Amino acid sequence: MPTAPVRPEPDRPRKRRVKLVDDIIETLRQDIVTRRLPHGERLPSEKDLSDRFGVSQATIREAIRALETLGLIEVFHGNGSFVRGQGDYALASALQTLLQLESVGIMEVLDVRQLLGRHSVEAAATRATAADLDAVAVAAARFERPNDLKDVDQVVAGILDFQRAVSSASHNPILLSLETFLLALLNEVQLNALSSRGIRFWRARAVEFQPHRVAILAGLRSGEPAQARAAMDRYFEAQQARFEQDASLRGLNLSSPKLVTIVSEMVRQSKE
């Protein structure tokens, strides 16, 4: 009779090690996000953590590497590991992976960014402080003198500053983090796709949208969410039209090799 094939024993030790590492990562992550380990705090030594969790120092090092990748700690070799608590990097890294795994197109990113922007401008209309309104006004005023913007980077930075100022006025930190990432992503992609277009193009684009910025500021100052939302809707309608009309933009997909590199660099810079 033929002999039944011998099935290898399951790799229980390896599975147990993975579970231990995951448990340690989650415990330390909770310590960081609940401020039991505050920003700037030095983590206990590998030996102390090894004693605490009853595992080898090699297992602790594996967990430390994972926390560093998440942007929650920073490792200085010879000096220890310190809590970084960099939530923006962790968020950007997670969103980068999601967008690329799902093969998301730039128009889908624009759609989500606009949904968030409509919510933030309505919230900002009732929550904005005098300082918030001043920040939005300063950012908008930059485009009243477009010739003062000497290069493309200054124009793009001004566009981002205005939108971030509006989102910040909503006083919702999660909303601000999400919008900041999507705004940076949209602008990095545009800069790459339209890299052959010089300062005149970008100044003209900024000036074209200036009436919308003025209207958004007026809506915020009115304290009426509906007025602020209507102004933002008009801004987004114009933005949507620009993307749809430009063949260099509308077909872009974040899983393309070129954009993977661009987004990865953007996320890496958010860690610094």
Side-chain angles (χ1 to χ4, degrees):
M1 293 179 63
T3 304
V6 178
R7 294 183 180 178
E9 286 292 319
D11 189 8
R12 291 192 181 92
R14 174 61 185 164
K15 289 182 179 179
R16 174 164 172 75
R17 176 183 169 83
V18 171
K19 178 68 164 57
L20 283 171
V21 171
D22 288 345
D23 288 346
I24 294 165
I25 292 169
E26 179 58 21
T27 299
L28 292 176
R29 189 190 70 82
Q30 288 288 341
D31 286 347
I32 291 169
V33 300
T34 59
R35 303 295 192 269
R36 285 194 292 268
L37 285 170
H39 178 75
E41 181 87 357
R42 189 179 189 276
L43 263 65
S45 69
E46 287 183 3
K47 183 180 184 308
D48 288 342
L49 289 173
S50 174
D51 291 341
R52 173 185 173 185
F53 291 104
V55 298
S56 69
Q57 291 187 40
T59 300
I60 294 298
R61 280 193 291 274
E62 194 172 338
I64 292 295
R65 282 195 295 271
L67 291 168
E68 184 181 23
T69 299
L70 290 171
L72 294 175
I73 66 170
E74 190 167 12
V75 177
F76 297 94
H77 296 290
N79 197 28
S81 303
F82 294 81
V83 175
R84 192 170 194 172
Q86 198 164 4
D88 286 347
Y89 169 71
L91 176 65
S93 181
L95 286 175
Q96 173 198 7
T97 302
L98 173 65
L99 294 173
Q100 291 169 346
L101 281 175
E102 295 297 327
S103 192
V104 172
I106 200 66
M107 299 304 293
E108 294 166 299
V109 176
L110 183 65
D111 184 45
V112 174
R113 181 274 173 278
Q114 290 182 355
L115 285 172
L116 296 176
R118 290 182 171 97
H119 181 78
S120 64
V121 79
E122 288 182 327
T126 57
R127 300 176 187 170
T129 65
D132 292 330
L133 294 175
D134 286 345
V136 176
V138 168
R142 190 174 303 176
F143 297 101
E144 298 295 342
R145 301 179 300 278
N147 289 335
D148 289 350
L149 303 170
K150 302 302 183 185
D151 56 42
V152 174
D153 286 343
Q154 284 188 342
V155 176
V156 173
I159 293 170
L160 287 171
D161 285 348
F162 178 80
Q163 291 296 331
R164 280 196 297 253
V166 173
S167 182
S168 181
S170 73
H171 292 275
N172 184 326
I174 298 175
L175 191 57
L176 177 59
S177 292
L178 287 167
E179 285 199 85
T180 295
F181 173 78
L182 295 177
L183 285 165
L185 175 59
L186 287 166
N187 278 282
E188 283 294 324
V189 169
Q190 286 184 83
L191 278 172
N192 181 265
L194 309 177
S195 59
S196 63
R197 306 184 193 185
I199 185 63
R200 289 185 180 179
F201 167 84
W202 287 98
R203 279 179 184 154
R205 176 70 65 89
V207 169
E208 174 189 350
F209 282 83
Q210 183 61 2
H212 296 297
R213 296 186 193 93
V214 172
I216 290 168
L217 176 59
L220 294 178
R221 283 176 167 161
S222 75
E224 295 292 336
Q227 182 177 333
R229 165 68 183 265
M232 187 64 87
D233 283 342
R234 290 190 292 272
Y235 173 88
F236 283 147
E237 287 166 7
Q239 182 187 53
Q240 184 89 16
R242 281 298 183 185
F243 270 78
E244 290 175 348
Q245 292 163 9
D246 199 319
S248 302
L249 293 175
R250 65 174 180 264
L252 292 174
N253 190 290
L254 294 180
S255 63
S256 70
K258 189 174 184 180
L259 289 186
V260 165
T261 301
I262 291 169
V263 178
S264 295
E265 176 61 18
M266 185 191 84
V267 172
R268 185 191 66 78
Q269 290 177 0
S270 74
K271 187 177 181 181
E272 296 176 351

